[in-house]
Amino acid sequence: MKCPFCGHCKDRVVDSRESGPGDSIRRRRECLACGRRFTSYERIEEIPYMVIKKDGRREPFDRQKLMSGLQLACQKRAVPVKALVQIVDNVERAVQDNPDREVEAGAIGKMVMDSLKDLDKVAYVRFASVYREFEDVQEFMNELRGLLGSRK
Ligand SMILES: [Zn+2]
């Protein structure tokens, strides 16, 4: 790092600490030529959280898209919007907590379906059918049968 006082390019780091929770790292540096000290800040590059599609393609996690899908599945059902926001929040947290910064679309679908199952059975079936795009018909039918069978 170039010294702001003399322009020399070599320095040593005398101290470094995080200035916020995962926000930026502050380093105190000492110029090897003039001996004066200056501060540099290092920021982590904003990388979008990615969703891995079935064919391996990645696309950025889109909160709004997930919310739209949920609203569609819950159309004309007695499901409060607050409950849907909660589901989206949970999914987003799970994506962000993943150290690889990416999560398989199937895992997201499973999380959503697990939440919807408790919330509204019709919404659950709708979401499941849309989400799986019938690539997984057998599993879908099994779930559907299990659902109908367990209905009181
Ligand atoms: Zn210097």
Side-chain angles (χ1 to χ4, degrees), residues 9-24:
C9 285
K10 287 209 169 85
D11 65 77
R12 68 186 185 97
V13 175
V14 289
D15 183 38
S16 57
R17 65 186 58 169
E18 281 183 36
S19 68
D23 197 19
S24 63

Side-chain angles (χ1 to χ4, degrees), residues 5 32 52 61 81-82 122 133:
F5 304 105
L32 293 182
I52 309 166
F61 174 73
V81 173
K82 214 174 124 186
V122 171
E133 296 164 333

Side-chain angles (χ1 to χ4, degrees), residues 2-8 10 30-36 38:
K2 205 169 173 179
C3 170
F5 304 105
C6 72
H8 188 72
K10 287 209 169 85
E30 189 181 278
C31 174
L32 293 182
C34 72
R36 279 191 265 197
F38 56 98

